[in-house]
Amino acid sequence: MNARLALLSSVAPGATESEIFRLALQHAVGELGAFGAAMHLRGPMSALRLVSSVGLPTALTRSWEIVDQEGPLAPARALHRGSGVWTPLGSPGSDADAAWPGTGLAALPVFGGKRSIGALTVLAGEHGEPTPEQWGFLRAVVTWTEERMAQAPPPSGPSQTEPSGDRDRLRQALKEVSVGSWDWNIQTGDLIWDEAALELYGTRPEDYTGKIENWMRIVHPDDLAPTLDAAGQAIRDHGVYEAEYRVRRLDGTYGWTLARGRATYDEHGEPLRMIGVGWESNESRSARDALSRALRHMSDGFLAVDYEWRITFANLEAERTLGFSEEELFGRILWELPSARQVPGLESRCRNAAAEARSAGFDVHMPDSGRRYHLRLVPGPDGHTLYLTDVTEKRRLAEERQAAERAASQRAARIAELTTALAKATTSRDVVDAVARRVLPPFAAAGLLVQAIEGDRLHHVGAVGYPDDFLEGVDRHAWTPHNPAWEAIQADTPLFLSSPQEFAARWPELAGLLDGDKQAWAFLPLTASGHTFGVCVISFDRPRRLTDEERALLTTISALVAQSLERARLYDAEHTRSRELQRSLLPRDLPDLPACTAAARYLPAGQGADVGGDWYDIIPLSSGQVALVVGDVMGHGLPEAATMGRLRTAVHTLADLELPPGEIMGHLNDIVVGMGEASYATCLYALYDSTTRVCSLARAGHPPPALVHPDGTVHFPEPDADPPLGAAEPPFETVELEVPEGSLLVLYTDGLVESSKREIDEGMAELARLLSTAHEDGTAVDLERLCDRLTAGLLPTEQQAADDAAFLVARLHSLPADRMASWPLPEDPKAAGQARRHVREQLAAWGLDDLTPTAELLVSELVGNVVRHARGPVRLRLLHGAELICEVYDGSQTMPRIRRATETDEGGRGLQLITALSGRWGARYTPAGKCIWTEQPLPGPGDHTADASELVFLNAPDFDEDWDALL
C-alpha cells in the first residue's frame, strides 16, 4: 500500500488530468483487487460527467456517462455526503439492473479547494466492502489526485499569434460570420444550439437533447474541468467567459474550439442564462487574416458596434448600403445614419433583441433604393454584430412562387368545389346555380348564360345577371353563320372577347344584341359524349383580357359543366315526363256537389326527388252520397305512380258499385297483394251521406282525418287503423261519425305532417292549430285560401324534399229535411198507384209538376218490379237536390239486370224504359236489402222534359196497355 503511494508521489508536477485520473484509478483497482474504477467530475447543473475509467467495458459505463448528482447512484451519494459510501449491488439505488459483476461500489468525493468537484468509484471484487486500511488508501489516492489536478497545466490550443486590443475584438466579431451560437439556461440546464453549433460540436440533430449534457459529452476529458472552472469563474465575477478546449467530432477525432460568452442575472444577482458563441481555432493566423480579407469583400453587409451602438467595423457592402466609407462610419452611432432612420422600427427591434441578449433576424426595406435586406443581429461579449443580406430577388421569387402556389391551390380548390357541387346537381337549374356560385365570384364575372341547341335556335337553359327581355331576344335569334355563340359551337373552341369594340369589329350586325352592362365575354362550347350541344357564356362588366391561365381554367370548367348539364337535361326530360304522368293520374278538377264543396293540393317532393304515389279524389255517388278518398303508395318513382293510377281507377270502379267502405278496402288490399311483396299503400276512404249527415270511415295504415266543427274545434277520429294495403288481413274496420252541417273534413297524406325534423304527432298538432286559427280569422271560409295557409304552414321549403304531400279539404253539407220525403208501401199491386199519388202530390209541393209524368212512370216501373220479383218491406223516398232522385227500397238482395227482349217477349223492357226516362239509375245494397234509384235532371228555363206519352213507343210498336190497369 505504501509502495503504491510512493510510486504515485514520484509523478512530476505538470501531468495532464487524463494521466492523473488514469494512474489514480489503476492503483486503486490494483490495491483493492477490484474489477474496475471510474472518475466523474461535476458539470453544470446537477450532472456528473464520466471523464476516465479503468477495467470497465463500454457496455457497463455507457449508462454512467452522465450521472445526476442529486440521484441515488454511488458517485452522487458520495458527492452529496462529502465522505465515502459503500453500496452493495442489488440494494436500492445500486443500479442492480445493469448486471454489474462485482459485489458493490465504493465511492469517495473529490474536492477542488473547498468545493466538491467529482467522485472516484471502485467496483469491488469478491472480497466485498473495503477494509478500514483500504478505505484509508483510497482517501490517500483521492488526496493525491486533488493536489495534482491543481498543478495540471491548462489546455493549450494550436500554435498561433493572438491578436490584441480592438483589432482582436474585431477579428473575433468577423469570425462570427461562421460561428455557432449557444444559449445556456443556468437554472434549468436547457441548452440551445443553432445549426452552426451542432456542426461545430459534432452532434447530429437527432442526437441533440437540448441539455447541457450534450456539451459535456463532446468535451475532451482533460479539458472539461478547467473549462467548467472558467465558466463558473465568469458567472461569479460577472465577467466574460472565454475558453479554448477540444471537442469530439463525428469521426471520433478531436479539434480545438474557442468559446466566448456572458451571463445574465435577475434582480437579485442570481445567474439566469449564459449566451455566447463558439468557433474552430485550428487554423493559423495567416488563415485568419485571409478570412478577414474575405469578409471585408464578401457580398453580405457586415457591421460591428459596441454597446453604445458606435460602429467599430464595416465591410465594403455595408459601406455601400449605408452610403458612407469605413472612415466616415467608424465611431458614428448607427441610429444617426440617414439610411437607418428611414427604416421604421429598426432601432427599437435591434435594442429589444440586444436587451434580451438573443440573436434576432428580420427583413428591412430601404425606401431610398427600394431594396429589401435581411438583418441578423448577434449579441456578443463586447458589442453586437449585424449582417445585411440583400434578399430583394430572393423574396420576389419567393413571393411569386407563393402566389403561383396559392393560385394553383385556389384553382384546384375551385375545381374541387365545383366538381362536388356539380355532382350533387340534379336539374339544369342546379347546374346553372352551381356555376354561378363557384365560377363567377373568383373571376369577378357579372353574368352567366347557358344555352342549348333546339332546332335552328339556341334556347337559354339558365342565366344569371341578364334581364328577361334580353333573354327573350336571344331565344328568338335564329342560327346565323356569323355569331360568336354559333362560331364557338361549330369550331368546338372557346372564344374570348376582351371589349365591346372587339365584339363590334367582328360582328357589327349583332351590335344591337349587346347587353350594355357587359364589356367582355368568354364563349365556352359545351361538349359531352362526342357532340357539342350548347354554349356557356361568362361575361364581365368591364373590359378584360383573360390570361392564358384563366382561359385554360375556364376551358377545364366548361368540360365539367357540359358533362353535368347533359346528365341534368336527361333528368329534366325524364322528370318532366314523370310529373306529367303523375299529374295526369290525379283529378283535373274537383266536382261541385251539393253534398260538399272542396279544394285540394298536391305538393311534389323537393327538387331532385322522384315522383311519388300520393293521390286524392272526390267521387259523386247516388242519393246525395259522396266518397272522399286520399292515398299514398309507398316509395317514389314511375312504378309507384303507375300503382297509384291503378288504385285510383279501382277505387272509382268499386265506389260506383256503391260497396261499403270496408268492402272497398278489402278489394283494394287484394289488388295490392297481387302486385307483389314490395308493394304497399295506405288509404283513407270516407263515405258521406248528406241525407243522414253520417260519414263512414275506413283506414288502411293512413293518418286519421281532421274534422273541424262549426264552432272551430278540431277533432281527429282515432279508430285503430288497419295495416297498410298489401299487409292487412280483411275485414277492415268502419267507423261512423255524425257530422254537423258546415263542418270541414280534411284528408291528407303523411307527407303533410311528417318529416325528418318533425314527428307525425307534432305535425298533426300543428295542422289542428292552423285549422283552428283559420276558422277564427275567417280564412276557412275560402277553401282555396285555407289550402294556401296549410301549405305555407306545414310545408316550408326545406321540408319539401322529403316526401310528396296531398290533402283534400271538404265542407260537408246536409240535404234539408223539407227536400226529402219518404213513404212505406204495401206489398201488393196497389202499391204502384199509391206511389204515383205520393209522387204527384210531393212534386206539386216542390213546384216540379213538369217532372210528374216521367216520375210516375219511373216509380210505377220500379214498384211493379219490386212487387213482382222481390219482397218487402217496400219504401219510397224522393230527394230534391241537384236532381230529382226517386228511391224504392225492398228486402231482397237480388239486383235488377237489363236484358234485351225480343218482339214476342211479354216483359223485359222495364229497365230499358228506366234507362231511357232517367238521367242515371242504379241499385245499391242496404243493411235490410237493396235500393233501386233513378235521377232526373231538374228543368231549366226553356227546357223540354220528355214524358211518358212521348216515350211509350220506345217500349214496343204495339204497346197500348193502360199503365194504371197493368200496375
Side-chain angles (χ1 to χ4, degrees):
M1 184 181 299
N2 292 331
R4 290 184 183 278
L5 293 176
L7 183 60
L8 289 174
S9 299
S10 66
V11 177
T16 62
E17 288 185 344
S18 60
E19 180 68 14
I20 295 170
F21 297 153
R22 182 179 59 80
L23 290 172
L25 296 178
Q26 285 177 345
H27 285 283
V29 170
E31 181 64 29
L32 272 66
F35 289 146
M39 177 69 72
H40 286 81
L41 291 183
R42 185 198 294 268
M45 306 300 297
S46 59
L48 291 171
R49 167 78 153 80
L50 178 65
V51 296
S52 185
S53 66
V54 171
L56 300 177
T58 305
L60 294 180
T61 60
R62 185 176 293 114
S63 62
W64 272 35
E65 286 187 357
I66 301 295
V67 174
D68 185 357
Q69 68 183 28
E70 302 296 335
L73 299 183
R77 293 177 60 200
L79 197 68
H80 183 69
R81 292 177 57 180
S83 60
V85 298
W86 167 254
T87 304
L89 292 178
S91 64
S94 64
D95 200 9
D97 292 339
W100 292 72
T103 60
L105 297 171
L108 292 95
V110 177
F111 288 85
K114 297 181 180 181
R115 179 173 174 267
S116 58
I117 62 172
L120 184 149
T121 306
V122 178
L123 175 62
E126 60 186 8
H127 300 294
E129 183 179 359
T131 64
E133 291 78 9
Q134 290 173 331
W135 276 113
F137 173 77
L138 290 177
R139 293 189 186 95
V141 170
V142 169
T143 301
W144 175 84
T145 302
E146 293 169 350
E147 294 173 352
R148 288 299 186 270
M149 286 177 62
Q151 300 170 0
S156 58
S159 175
Q160 58 188 17
T161 303
E162 291 294 335
S164 61
D166 290 339
R167 284 298 177 186
D168 175 50
R169 186 181 62 75
L170 288 176
R171 288 193 180 93
Q172 298 298 341
L174 286 171
K175 186 60 187 167
E176 292 175 4
V177 172
S178 59
V179 299
S181 300
W182 48 267
D183 185 341
W184 170 36
N185 190 316
I186 299 173
Q187 295 187 346
T188 66
D190 293 334
L191 178 65
I192 300 174
W193 282 345
D194 62 10
E195 293 181 0
L198 287 171
E199 182 178 357
L200 175 67
Y201 296 131
T203 302
R204 297 183 180 89
E206 59 268 22
D207 298 331
Y208 178 62
T209 64
K211 293 293 184 180
I212 192 64
E213 286 79 3
N214 277 109
W215 175 78
M216 294 176 63
R217 287 192 180 96
I218 54 91
V219 177
H220 194 282
D222 291 344
D223 302 340
L224 181 61
T227 302
L228 293 174
D229 287 340
Q233 187 67 35
I235 292 173
R236 289 190 295 273
D237 297 344
H238 290 227
V240 176
Y241 162 67
E242 293 183 291
E244 191 167 15
Y245 51 89
R246 286 162 290 179
V247 297
R248 186 175 61 243
R249 307 297 189 196
L250 288 174
D251 59 3
T253 63
Y254 283 87
W256 285 92
T257 63
L258 278 168
R260 289 170 62 86
R262 182 183 291 274
T264 61
Y265 305 84
D266 61 15
E267 63 273 13
H268 304 295
E270 294 296 326
L272 298 176
R273 299 160 60 197
M274 179 177 281
I275 302 171
V277 294
W279 63 92
E280 289 185 354
S281 59
N282 289 320
E283 72 279 2
S284 64
R285 177 170 180 170
S286 60
R288 292 189 178 188
D289 291 342
L291 177 60
S292 178
R293 288 192 299 271
L295 294 178
R296 173 69 178 164
H297 297 280
M298 71 179 183
S299 60
D300 290 347
F302 175 81
L303 279 175
V305 297
D306 60 16
Y307 284 124
E308 302 299 327
W309 300 96
R310 291 185 177 88
I311 299 175
T312 57
F313 180 82
N315 71 349
L316 294 177
E317 180 62 21
E319 295 174 10
R320 186 190 64 79
T321 303
L322 298 176
F324 294 94
S325 65
E326 183 181 13
E327 292 76 13
E328 294 173 322
L329 292 173
F330 188 80
R332 295 188 64 176
I333 296 176
L334 176 61
W335 316 123
E336 295 179 352
L337 300 177
S339 53
R341 290 198 301 267
Q342 291 177 0
V343 181
L346 176 62
E347 180 178 359
S348 61
R349 297 176 72 176
C350 289
R351 288 186 180 277
N352 290 338
E356 296 177 6
R358 60 176 176 83
S359 300
F362 46 85
D363 283 5
V364 296
H365 182 262
M366 297 295 186
D368 54 346
S369 64
R371 308 296 294 178
R372 181 181 292 182
Y373 293 87
H374 181 73
L375 185 146
R376 181 168 177 255
L377 183 143
V378 180
D382 301 315
H384 313 294
T385 304
L386 293 90
Y387 310 93
L388 286 169
T389 304
D390 191 336
V391 294
T392 304
E393 290 302 313
K394 181 179 180 180
R395 295 291 187 267
R396 183 185 63 80
L397 293 176
E399 290 173 357
E400 290 178 354
R401 183 175 63 255
Q402 291 175 359
E405 292 175 353
R406 193 162 49 246
S409 176
Q410 291 175 351
R411 287 195 303 272
R414 290 170 189 165
I415 292 179
E417 290 176 0
L418 179 61
T419 302
T420 302
L422 291 177
K424 296 178 181 178
T426 305
T427 65
S428 300
R429 184 68 250 179
D430 294 339
V431 174
V432 174
D433 291 342
V435 175
R437 287 194 304 268
R438 307 292 182 182
V439 177
L440 297 189
F443 287 90
L448 171 68
L449 176 61
V450 179
Q451 296 176 289
I453 299 175
E454 292 185 4
D456 63 344
R457 299 177 186 272
L458 286 173
H459 175 72
H460 83 275
V461 176
V464 174
Y466 286 94
D468 293 339
D469 56 349
F470 175 82
L471 297 176
E472 293 174 1
V474 169
D475 287 346
R476 291 194 301 267
H477 195 70
W479 179 87
T480 59
H482 301 293
N483 180 295
W486 282 108
E487 286 192 15
I489 291 173
Q490 288 180 310
D492 195 18
T493 302
L495 180 61
F496 301 96
L497 303 172
S498 59
S499 66
Q501 292 76 19
E502 184 178 353
F503 187 106
R506 295 186 61 173
W507 299 282
E509 68 278 7
L510 300 178
L513 291 177
L514 288 177
D515 181 4
D517 295 334
K518 306 301 184 287
Q519 304 290 308
W521 300 264
F523 292 87
L524 309 171
L526 298 176
T527 303
S529 303
H531 73 283
T532 302
F533 62 88
V535 65
C536 175
V537 184
I538 296 177
S539 55
F540 304 87
D541 56 4
R542 59 182 176 83
R544 177 173 178 181
R545 184 173 298 278
L546 296 171
T547 65
D548 292 341
E549 185 177 355
E550 290 174 326
R551 294 184 179 192
L553 181 58
L554 285 175
T555 302
T556 302
I557 290 174
S558 67
L560 296 175
V561 174
Q563 295 290 338
S564 298
L565 189 59
E566 183 183 45
R567 183 184 69 249
R569 294 178 71 208
L570 292 175
Y571 173 85
D572 289 342
E574 181 67 20
H575 196 65
T576 299
R577 287 192 293 269
S578 300
R579 291 292 187 199
E580 290 175 351
L581 171 63
Q582 208 268 355
R583 287 290 186 184
S584 68
L585 297 175
L586 291 174
R588 296 184 179 276
D589 298 301
L590 296 178
D592 187 11
L593 304 173
C596 72
T597 53
R601 292 289 187 273
Y602 169 76
L603 290 308
Q607 204 170 47
D610 211 338
V611 295
D614 293 21
W615 92 92
Y616 58 86
D617 222 332
I618 294 182
I619 305 173
L621 299 177
S622 65
S623 306
Q625 296 182 106
V626 61
L628 306 158
V629 191
V630 66
D632 183 4
V633 178
M634 297 182 185
H636 289 83
L638 285 177
E640 285 72 16
T643 299
M644 179 268 284
R646 294 174 63 183
L647 291 179
R648 180 169 177 253
T649 301
V651 170
H652 268 270
T653 302
L654 295 170
D656 284 342
L657 294 176
E658 302 203 57
L659 300 177
E663 290 187 31
I664 289 179
M665 283 295 182
H667 289 297
L668 292 177
N669 184 69
D670 293 340
I671 293 173
V672 176
V673 169
M675 294 178 182
E677 295 181 358
S679 297
Y680 296 98
T682 66
C683 185
L684 169 62
Y685 186 93
L687 177 62
Y688 174 67
D689 189 341
S690 62
T691 65
T692 62
R693 293 187 291 107
V694 172
C695 185
S696 302
L697 302 174
R699 287 196 296 143
H702 205 85
L707 181 61
V708 184
H709 291 272
D711 61 358
T713 58
V714 181
H715 170 60
F716 289 96
E718 286 288 352
D720 293 334
D722 288 293
L725 300 175
E729 290 290 338
F732 286 83
E733 181 183 2
T734 301
V735 176
E736 293 187 349
L737 304 174
E738 185 172 348
V739 181
E741 165 65 26
S743 298
L744 283 179
L745 189 65
V746 182
L747 289 71
Y748 53 90
T749 61
D750 58 357
L752 182 70
V753 294
E754 186 179 26
S755 70
S756 59
K757 298 181 180 179
R758 184 175 58 198
E759 296 294 335
I760 190 169
D761 292 341
E762 299 173 352
M764 291 171 61
E766 180 64 14
L767 172 62
R769 187 191 67 81
L770 291 172
L771 291 172
S772 179
T773 302
H775 177 82
E776 293 174 359
D777 61 22
T779 304
V781 174
D782 186 338
L783 297 186
E784 294 294 337
R785 288 181 57 198
L786 177 59
C787 288
D788 294 338
R789 171 78 66 87
L790 297 180
T791 301
L794 293 170
L795 294 176
T797 304
E798 64 271 12
Q799 293 186 7
Q800 290 188 13
D803 194 7
D804 293 15
F807 63 94
L808 176 66
V809 180
R811 188 177 303 281
L812 304 180
H813 305 287
S814 62
L815 188 64
D818 59 357
R819 293 296 185 96
M820 296 183 289
S822 178
W823 305 270
L825 297 174
E827 297 183 41
D828 58 45
K830 296 180 180 179
Q834 293 181 18
R836 290 197 301 275
R837 185 174 66 254
H838 292 317
V839 167
R840 284 194 302 270
E841 293 173 353
Q842 188 60 51
L843 293 185
W846 285 340
L848 299 177
D849 296 301
D850 292 342
L851 299 180
T852 299
T854 302
E856 286 186 73
L857 181 57
L858 290 172
V859 169
S860 295
E861 182 65 28
L862 293 178
V863 173
N865 283 336
V866 168
V867 172
R868 180 177 300 176
H869 302 293
R871 66 174 181 269
V874 183
R875 184 167 61 92
L876 170 66
R877 187 171 73 158
L878 296 180
L879 303 177
H880 180 191
E883 303 88 6
L884 176 63
I885 301 172
C886 300
E887 297 178 333
V888 176
Y889 295 83
D890 63 57
S892 173
Q893 296 286 329
T894 303
M895 285 293 179
R897 179 173 59 86
I898 295 179
R899 63 185 179 88
R900 182 162 297 281
T902 64
E903 294 183 356
T904 59
D905 290 337
E906 296 183 359
R909 299 178 179 84
L911 293 181
Q912 294 181 21
L913 284 174
I914 292 174
T915 302
L917 293 172
S918 62
R920 196 165 67 106
W921 76 276
R924 65 177 182 272
Y925 290 106
T926 65
K930 69 174 180 293
C931 170
I932 305 176
W933 54 268
T934 64
E935 288 183 358
Q936 292 177 256
L938 300 181
D943 286 350
H944 174 73
T945 304
D947 56 24
S949 62
E950 297 175 340
L951 295 174
V952 115
F953 299 102
L954 294 177
N955 195 23
D958 56 352
F959 187 87
D960 57 356
E961 298 176 278
D962 178 76
W963 282 94
D964 285 336
L966 178 64
L967 298 177

